[in-house]
Amino acid sequence: MKVSLNWMKELLPGLAAFTADLPALCDRLDMTGTGVEGITNTGAALDRVVVGQITDKVKHPNADTLWVTTVDVGQDEPLQIVCGAQNFNAGDKVPVALVGASLPNGVTIKKSKLRGEVSCGMNCSARELGLGDDADGILILPEDAPVGMAFGDYRGISDTILDLEITPNRPDCLSMRGLAREFSTVLGIDDAVLPPVQVNEVGGSIHDAATVTVAEPELCPRYTARLIRNVKIGPSPAWLAERVQAAGARSINNVVDITNYIMFLTGQPLHAFDYDRIAKGDDGRAQVIIRRAHAGETITTLDDQLRRLTPANQLITDPSGPITLAGVMGAENTEVKDDTVNIFLEAAVFQPEITSRTSRGFALLSEASLRYERGVDIEQVLDAQTRACALMAELCGGEVAPDVIDVYPTVHQRPTITLRGSRVQALIGERIARETCEAMLTGLGLTVQAAPTPKAFDVTIPAFRPDLTREVDLIEELLRLHGMERIQATMPRTAHAGGLSPRQRLRARLETVLRAGGLNETMTLPFADPADGERFGLTDENAGAAARLHNPMASDASELRRLLITNLLHSVALNLSRGTRNVALYEVGAVFTATEGRKQPKEAEHIAAVLTGSWDKTRWNEPERALDFYDAKGILELVVRELAVNRFQLKVADPARLPFLQPGRAADIVIAGQTVGFIGELHPALAAQLEIDQPVAVLEFATKPLLAAARDSRGFVEPSRFPGIDLDIALVVDESVQAGTLVERLLSAGKKTPLARVRLFDVYRGAGIAEGKKSLALTLSYRAQDRTLTAQEIEPIHERIVQKAAASVGAELRS
Amino acid sequence: MSLIEQLTALGADGLASIAAADSAAALDAARVDLLGKKGRLTGILRGLGALPADERPAVGAAANRVRTAIEDALTTRKAALDAAALDAQLAAGTLDITLPGRARPIGAQHLISRIRDEIVEVFCGIGYTVAEGPEVELDFYNFTALNHEPQHPARSASDTFYVVDRSTDAETWTGPEPSDVLMRTHTSPVQIRTMEHTKPPIYILAPGKVYRRDVPDPTHLPQFTQMEGLVVDRDVTFADLRGTLDYLCREIFGSQVRTRFRPHFFPFTEPSAEVDVSCNVCGGTGCRTCKGTGWIEILGCGMVDPNVFAAVGLDPEEWSGFAFGLGIDRIAALRYDLPDIRMLVEGDMRFLRQF
């Protein structure tokens, strides 16, 4: 809401004492709930331009066309100003730009010498002041112009406009009248009194010229109309144009400006119809009906748009059809034009909800719709109507017809709220004196009476404060006027324990491990591109059905993600495109799948990682190594170790289930027999589509089952104090034999023997090994708890174990 | 030359050859030459037995002197050579300590998570627990129970993402919005979910991602991270809210920071306030960061509205409480003066690794 301080000072003379210290005034407004979002000084460019009087004028000694003038600007000493204009005489009053003035045309005035003569300012033309195109000479002011007065003040073009943030609960503050009440209360000055207006009624009653029917009073609780005949449409007088412009509207013509002016003054939107263009009923009277739109009905609004309507819109209609989208925008067919003679003036109250939905539905936000959305003062409609009629008579020569149409079936009953002093203290933590409370509430325009119960008030609420419906709303008013700053800070007194839950602590530890493993945390948006779903081969079977948005911002963000890696891989591509080849990212985030019959999609927290490039290309003492499957697996193993995850294994995945991974390099992450995620390398064909030109290892799992499998401790085995024996073997096996299987077989064959550990240390293919075979080199460690083992003791055992295991996988011992 | 003279000469010669030995090998050769099985001194000593008995004591004593001198010289020389060898070895092993260390680079935490954890820690310290809730919410939790009027603008499909309802409700849906399933627009629904299943006293914090239909640009993203706080207890007052948030702001921005509470409006709190902290850049005198005001808006808060208590079946005469919410992205943008918050969701390694 834009508030002209000139206008406000006219309403509230006491405000003048506060406008000199503008920051303090704004602070007071901020701290009582009316946020000052901006301050504009109109006429600011005319700072340091004053009214001056030319006391002397002599020819410039060194220039034929210049004058050296002596100018009285109300200071101790007159100024010497060199001037090139020819249209003035000694004694003339003129606008003088002092040194330091910065004019609207961008010129900054400095002390200077013109052809040897000092010049301490400039006598200004209208054009130089931005007041018109007249540049022929300096602007000569009337003789009574007071010397030394700021020119902006003299011309009345200096104003300060405050841009105020009005919260949605304060419709009363969307008017100068309401804000004057608020200002007077927070500043402790007298409230505005709007002078009563009288309307001279002429000619036949409106009842003989028009009828109004409201179909659904709950959608239009009050509708008033007056008829003004024989108006002359023309430009507004300067004061009116200035007022509506200061409030942020354009000056259109006298009639439209009056409706806007009254709206800004009172908060009551008004709509002027061209009476003669409203269709008449059988009885010859304009027949105005307020009703819901029929499905498919259309209206061409003032912005020349054809709008298709539904019963969720309310219309003002005549027998020919819609003539206004109620409370939102008028129609071209009854618009006031230059040749309009008779005005049908509407001042009504429409239900906030239907008005809001209509204006937002059509993206037609206007000053009127804003006020209807927030709630218009139903008790004040006629006052606004009367003020507008009086101005139409005064400024447009209109003749106001007798009588008012006022469809107001349910007269507003003011509610009364009981306010207990004990509740005030209980809620804000401090006592506010009874007298102070009473004064503050009265200042807001509420009626305060002692309640039957002790230490309580009964407060009656006028219609302009629809936000005050409960005791707590009154306490809020008291707190903000008393000052939140004055409340002494305390802390809640009860003892209560806090901290992260065990699961939250575990997840934090899990993330620490991921970072220790080299992964950097990132976040992506939760939206997914259906095209990505296809590229990744996601189906309802392998990934669940995607949850869809009704109103996505773009077609490539119309679903919710089912996996985290889809968007993470786009981050990989972005890094590559920016020249970063080494990327190691993880994300913790929700994924969503829709289920037929369920309202909300199923939501699960996942953790995913992507790895590509190498750990660090700046490694100076090691060859660069490309990250692959085993780097991702290594990180997963760190997690499993740190969280002591029970029964963790990787299983070769069915390629149909993970089509986005390279077959043969894809595995299910299985915990306690349940698949919780996957790990693998990105399918090269998909990588190419994503503009990724190097191998990427990925992993993703659901957090919940992983954390559930974490153990507090993994048990304890006392380390042997006796040295053991390590024996190395190399076994040649078919390619199809997994190292893990061989290790398992060895361990199983070594059960109940001193075999403590089997560690794989090399995989070899090539010279000496047949095609389709590989050599696995392993270290078998033997330990006893109670003694030092000897070679003689272990060798036969070792032989038996190796032979048994080798036979079970068809391995040959490599010599 | 008498035997004693021979011994003296051998001693002098031996000491000279020991002193001349410039390596362990040369020293060893000198030792063998003198004391080895066929060494010169060994030879003389072996000949002692053949001497007349009266000469033996004098010659024997001389021989022992020479042997002791040679053995001492050998030990000393060996120590000197060892020390020199070690010095040479150490000199050769000097490292360029400015070369990078050898470890897998450790990953960085996202700056949003970092700030979130910082705030969570502050509140865990004063007895709060962390509550979580779904990101896809129902209208009831996101709006209705939080006292939003049916026509509240935030409900409009231009502001809020609506999700397709897959239940049978969708067939009979007649509401003005596309459905009553939505991406939560704030973390406040966690308040409702918590109050529904937890008996007061409640002291919770609810960090999480929220979504609004803002077109991405340098200062907007459709996703941001919020932190909600909720307290429900007996006799909780606005003064307690002030104290709690003063504490938070000092912990996050430093003990020099001042706060200011400006009355505001939120549907789910009454009274409501916005909280500003004094600008950390200029200290409150006014600068570009605080747009000349000396203050930076940092959170919204208020006393829990009685209608919210009613929605979860708590008696507002018995229980009171406060709630607050703050934007973590905003704190991040302020702290790091981010020129473009889209960086937060891009995953650029060069950005992420700075935090």
Side-chain angles (χ1 to χ4, degrees):
Chain A
M1 169 89 185
K2 289 189 163 52
V3 174
S4 147
L5 283 187
N6 282 355
W7 188 355
M8 191 56 89
K9 276 189 278 193
E10 199 175 280
L11 295 171
L12 281 181
L15 180 63
F18 294 87
T19 50
D21 188 353
L22 201 55
L25 173 64
C26 292
D27 224 39
R28 180 69 187 144
L29 294 173
D30 273 333
M31 299 311 286
T32 49
T34 309
V36 181
E37 295 196 310
I39 303 170
T40 318
N41 289 310
T42 59
L46 300 184
D47 261 6
R48 299 193 60 77
V49 179
V50 299
V51 176
Q53 183 168 31
I54 296 171
T55 54
D56 194 20
K57 168 186 179 187
V58 296
K59 272 260 172 228
H60 192 293
N62 306 319
D64 288 348
T65 58
L66 294 183
W67 298 91
V68 177
T69 63
T70 306
V71 187
D72 176 8
V73 292
Q75 298 173 353
D76 296 346
E77 293 287 324
L79 302 176
Q80 174 170 303
I81 294 173
V82 178
C83 180
Q86 308 301 329
N87 66 328
F88 65 95
N89 297 306
D92 280 350
K93 302 256 179 94
V94 298
V96 180
L98 304 177
V99 169
S102 195
L103 298 181
N105 61 5
V107 173
T108 301
I109 306 300
K110 295 185 197 116
K111 183 174 176 179
S112 59
K113 267 189 184 174
L114 284 170
R115 301 236 177 155
E117 286 296 317
V118 170
S119 184
C120 297
M122 185 167 89
N123 303 324
C124 302
S125 70
R127 184 193 232 165
E128 283 157 344
L129 297 175
L131 298 176
D133 288 334
D134 190 354
D136 280 352
I138 51 181
L139 179 63
I140 309 296
L141 303 175
E143 281 175 31
D144 61 358
V147 169
M149 188 176 194
F151 180 73
D153 291 342
Y154 169 68
R155 288 287 289 240
I157 50 179
S158 291
D159 195 358
T160 300
I161 311 289
L162 302 184
D163 193 357
L164 301 181
E165 180 197 10
I166 306 301
T167 52
N169 59 328
R170 293 298 302 274
D172 59 312
C173 287
L174 292 173
S175 71
M176 296 298 287
R177 174 72 195 87
L179 274 173
R181 193 183 300 113
E182 177 71 16
F183 278 38
S184 71
T185 310
V186 302
L187 299 175
I189 56 178
D190 287 341
D191 190 12
V193 181
L194 297 189
V197 287
Q198 281 291 319
V199 176
N200 269 336
E201 296 178 343
V202 181
S205 166
I206 186 172
H207 294 302
D208 299 328
T211 62
V212 172
T213 311
V214 175
E216 292 183 58
E218 61 273 25
L219 298 183
C220 175
R222 190 171 192 183
Y223 194 98
T224 73
R226 295 207 70 157
L227 180 62
I228 303 111
R229 297 189 179 94
N230 295 322
V231 297
K232 280 166 209 70
I233 307 292
S236 293
W239 73 264
L240 179 59
E242 260 171 42
R243 286 285 183 256
V244 296
Q245 281 165 358
R250 272 187 316 129
S251 173
I252 313 271
N253 59 44
N254 46 9
V255 168
V256 174
D257 287 0
I258 287 168
T259 61
N260 281 333
Y261 169 76
I262 296 295
M263 174 177 69
F264 290 128
L265 179 67
T266 66
Q268 171 63 54
L270 297 150
H271 186 68
F273 296 83
D274 184 331
Y275 169 79
D276 299 301
R277 296 168 70 198
I278 301 175
K280 309 297 181 288
D282 295 339
D283 58 5
R285 296 185 291 176
Q287 195 179 331
V288 173
I289 299 161
I290 296 90
R291 61 160 169 86
R292 283 182 192 273
H294 308 310
E297 210 167 1
T298 59
I299 184 171
T300 302
T301 42
L302 281 178
D303 54 0
D304 213 25
Q305 297 287 311
L306 182 74
R307 314 251 175 205
R308 191 162 293 278
L309 307 168
T310 72
N313 310 126
Q314 184 168 224
L315 294 172
I316 316 297
T317 65
D318 68 14
S320 72
I323 56 174
T324 281
L325 207 46
V328 178
M329 192 178 257
E332 187 277 332
N333 56 14
T334 49
E335 183 186 3
V336 171
K337 294 189 170 158
D338 289 350
D339 59 356
T340 296
V341 177
N342 301 314
I343 300 283
F344 179 86
L345 187 62
E346 162 199 294
V349 176
F350 301 112
Q351 188 211 41
E353 183 172 351
I354 195 166
T355 321
S356 166
R357 289 202 188 283
T358 301
S359 64
R360 288 177 188 272
F362 290 119
L364 276 177
L365 297 181
S366 63
E367 295 282 355
S369 72
L370 173 69
R371 285 166 177 78
Y372 280 122
E373 178 177 301
R374 303 277 176 90
V376 162
D377 179 2
I378 201 165
E379 296 175 326
Q380 189 203 220
V381 179
L382 273 189
D383 179 67
Q385 174 73 274
T386 310
R387 286 179 190 281
C389 289
L391 279 178
M392 297 240 181
E394 184 188 334
L395 304 178
C396 319
E399 298 159 7
V400 181
D403 303 323
V404 188
I405 292 175
D406 185 2
V407 184
Y408 186 21
T410 311
V411 175
H412 179 73
Q413 297 295 316
R414 293 186 171 196
T416 297
I417 302 169
T418 302
L419 174 66
R420 296 162 291 171
S422 58
R423 278 309 281 174
V424 176
Q425 187 169 358
L427 208 63
I428 70 176
E430 237 166 67
R431 197 176 163 274
I432 302 178
R434 182 186 172 86
E435 301 69 35
T436 316
C437 292
E438 190 168 357
M440 290 192 288
L441 295 175
T442 309
L444 291 171
L446 316 182
T447 315
V448 183
Q449 284 179 306
T453 44
K455 296 190 175 171
F457 293 126
D458 278 339
V459 184
T460 304
I461 313 297
F464 62 78
R465 288 303 301 270
D467 57 316
L468 305 180
T469 59
R470 305 158 305 171
E471 185 180 30
V472 67
D473 301 319
L474 295 175
I475 297 174
E476 191 255 330
E477 294 297 299
L478 295 176
L479 175 60
R480 74 180 179 88
L481 294 176
H482 172 73
M484 291 179 170
E485 290 309 289
R486 289 162 63 180
I487 304 295
Q488 208 60 43
T490 56
M491 292 292 264
R493 279 154 300 270
T494 49
H496 47 95
L500 296 182
S501 70
R503 200 181 63 81
Q504 288 163 345
R505 285 201 302 268
L506 213 48
R507 186 177 53 190
R509 229 164 85 202
L510 193 164
E511 285 194 61
T512 307
V513 173
L514 296 177
R515 292 194 293 275
L519 298 173
N520 299 282
E521 190 191 7
T522 186
M523 55 168 87
T524 61
L525 298 180
F527 310 112
D529 184 351
D532 266 347
E534 279 181 29
R535 275 196 283 263
F536 280 72
L538 303 185
T539 62
D540 290 5
E541 287 70 40
N542 66 20
R548 279 178 295 112
L549 291 174
H550 277 288
N551 53 341
M553 289 205 298
S555 60
D556 63 2
S558 61
E559 294 179 351
L560 297 181
R561 62 184 172 196
R562 286 173 277 177
L563 292 176
L564 297 180
I565 57 157
T566 43
N567 287 347
L568 276 178
L569 286 164
H570 289 299
S571 289
V572 169
L574 176 124
N575 274 291
L576 294 175
S577 76
R578 291 178 179 176
T580 306
R581 314 295 303 177
N582 302 328
V583 183
L585 299 171
Y586 82 91
E587 177 171 14
V588 182
V591 299
F592 308 86
T593 45
T595 311
E596 203 52 52
R598 270 185 58 131
K599 222 171 167 52
Q600 280 162 285
K602 228 175 106 207
E603 194 172 322
E605 187 185 271
H606 275 202
I607 293 179
V610 290
L611 282 160
T612 189
S614 69
W615 276 129
D616 195 343
K617 66 180 174 200
T618 63
R619 282 286 175 87
W620 53 278
N621 52 2
E622 279 171 29
E624 193 172 342
R625 182 178 62 75
L627 296 172
D628 63 17
F629 178 91
Y630 296 109
D631 293 284
K633 185 179 174 188
I635 293 172
L636 198 55
E637 286 169 341
L638 287 181
V639 170
V640 167
R641 213 221 94 77
E642 171 64 15
L643 300 190
V645 174
N646 209 6
R647 298 175 62 198
F648 159 82
Q649 66 187 127
L650 295 188
K651 281 190 176 162
V652 172
D654 170 9
R657 283 196 39 254
L658 302 171
F660 43 88
L661 296 181
Q662 178 174 340
R665 296 190 171 196
D668 288 321
I669 301 172
V670 179
I671 290 172
Q674 183 198 352
T675 299
V676 304
F678 58 82
I679 179 168
E681 289 185 27
L682 189 62
H683 198 296
L686 173 59
Q689 287 186 65
L690 299 172
E691 297 185 8
I692 294 173
D693 58 1
Q694 60 191 41
V696 185
V698 302
L699 67 90
E700 176 156 353
F701 56 84
T703 319
K704 204 172 155 187
L706 186 104
L707 295 184
R711 288 173 296 170
D712 294 339
S713 72
R714 61 183 84 228
F716 164 71
V717 178
E718 189 190 355
S720 170
R721 268 169 289 177
F722 300 94
I725 290 178
D726 285 0
L727 296 173
D728 291 352
I729 56 166
L731 291 172
V732 177
V733 294
D734 281 349
E735 278 289 1
S736 62
V737 175
Q738 291 178 324
T741 311
L742 182 55
V743 171
E744 264 172 39
R745 298 287 163 86
L746 287 163
L747 285 171
S748 136
K751 252 185 201 156
K752 294 181 186 161
T753 76
L755 178 63
R757 208 167 75 113
V758 176
R759 192 177 63 86
L760 179 126
F761 65 90
D762 193 30
V763 179
Y764 175 76
R765 297 177 180 86
I769 304 294
E771 188 81 1
K773 302 263 183 186
K774 61 189 172 188
S775 165
L776 301 175
L778 305 119
T779 301
L780 280 65
S781 302
Y782 296 89
R783 297 273 181 285
Q785 287 297 107
D786 53 355
R787 65 190 191 284
T788 303
L789 295 175
T790 63
Q792 293 94 313
E793 184 185 351
I794 288 307
E795 263 157 20
I797 299 173
H798 175 69
E799 211 135 294
R800 270 205 311 281
I801 292 172
V802 172
Q803 255 158 28
K804 190 172 174 196
S808 78
V809 295
E812 279 171 44
L813 198 58
R814 195 174 159 212
S815 44
Chain B
M1 198 189 280
S2 74
L3 201 52
I4 291 188
E5 281 166 349
Q6 277 183 43
L7 274 170
T8 309
L10 178 60
D13 185 48
L15 291 177
S17 70
I18 288 167
D22 59 357
S23 69
L27 187 63
D28 201 46
R31 184 186 59 79
V32 171
D33 174 49
L34 294 163
L35 299 177
K37 276 183 188 163
K38 292 175 185 170
R40 289 186 282 158
L41 185 56
T42 316
I44 293 174
L45 291 175
R46 218 174 264 148
L48 279 182
L51 284 177
D54 60 337
E55 284 181 35
R56 265 187 233 161
V59 176
N64 271 335
R65 263 199 318 279
V66 170
R67 184 163 73 176
T68 307
I70 285 174
E71 278 173 354
D72 287 353
L74 279 171
T75 307
T76 310
R77 184 63 189 154
K78 180 158 192 325
L81 285 176
D82 283 354
L86 183 61
D87 281 350
Q89 185 191 341
L90 295 183
T94 302
L95 296 182
D96 178 352
I97 55 151
T98 64
L99 283 170
R102 207 181 292 149
R104 180 185 295 179
I106 195 161
Q109 190 177 21
H110 196 281
L111 78 162
I112 294 294
S113 307
R114 211 166 259 267
I115 296 170
R116 176 200 66 202
D117 287 357
E118 216 177 291
I119 298 171
V120 165
E121 242 169 68
V122 170
F123 279 97
C124 284
I126 52 173
Y128 285 60
T129 55
V130 174
E132 290 162 35
E135 293 179 13
V136 175
E137 262 297 2
L138 298 177
D139 173 279
F140 174 79
Y141 291 101
N142 196 77
F143 290 127
T144 303
L146 289 162
N147 200 31
H148 285 65
E149 292 181 345
Q151 78 273 18
H152 194 284
R155 277 193 152 106
S156 91
S158 59
D159 291 12
T160 296
F161 289 106
Y162 283 90
V163 177
V164 174
D165 177 354
R166 299 286 290 256
S167 72
T168 48
D169 294 3
E171 292 150 28
T172 52
W173 178 253
T174 54
E177 267 73 55
S179 81
D180 61 346
V181 185
L182 48 86
M183 305 289 286
R184 67 176 176 190
T185 60
H186 46 186
T187 42
S188 308
V190 182
Q191 287 186 27
I192 304 299
R193 290 187 175 273
T194 304
M195 286 190 279
E196 266 186 348
H197 63 69
T198 313
K199 274 194 191 140
I202 293 170
Y203 289 81
I204 59 148
L205 210 55
K209 289 175 197 153
V210 303
Y211 304 95
R212 293 182 196 170
R213 281 186 93 249
D214 285 332
V215 179
D217 71 22
T219 55
H220 294 90
L221 273 180
Q223 162 182 299
F224 45 105
T225 307
Q226 269 194 350
M227 179 84 79
E228 190 86 5
L230 172 71
V231 166
V232 181
D233 204 342
R234 290 197 168 82
D235 306 323
V236 172
T237 67
F238 186 84
D240 295 334
L241 170 61
R242 261 217 84 154
T244 301
L245 295 183
D246 279 356
Y247 176 73
L248 168 71
C249 291
R250 282 197 306 271
E251 289 291 314
I252 297 298
F253 298 104
S255 55
Q256 77 293 344
V257 88
R258 286 165 293 125
T259 62
R260 136 179 132 156
F261 283 59
R262 281 181 293 104
H264 201 71
F265 171 76
F266 302 110
F268 42 103
T269 50
E270 181 79 342
S272 306
E274 282 184 335
V275 182
D276 301 337
V277 293
S278 52
C279 177
N280 251 354
V281 176
C282 62
T285 53
C287 67
R288 193 177 60 90
T289 304
C290 59
K291 297 194 186 88
T293 63
W295 296 98
I296 293 176
E297 183 194 324
I298 213 76
L299 8 92
C301 64
M303 303 302 292
V304 177
D305 194 285
N307 290 357
V308 174
F309 280 139
V312 294
L314 289 175
D315 177 3
E317 295 278 321
E318 180 181 1
W319 301 103
S320 58
F322 59 75
F324 54 88
L326 61 102
I328 296 180
D329 310 66
R330 184 166 164 70
I331 295 180
L334 282 173
R335 198 179 271 187
Y336 299 105
D337 204 10
L338 299 181
D340 189 337
I341 63 167
R342 285 175 292 188
M343 290 179 187
L344 295 173
V345 296
E346 270 180 354
D348 188 320
M349 289 278 287
R350 296 165 305 171
F351 173 74
L352 298 173
R353 291 195 56 76
Q354 292 180 46
F355 302 97

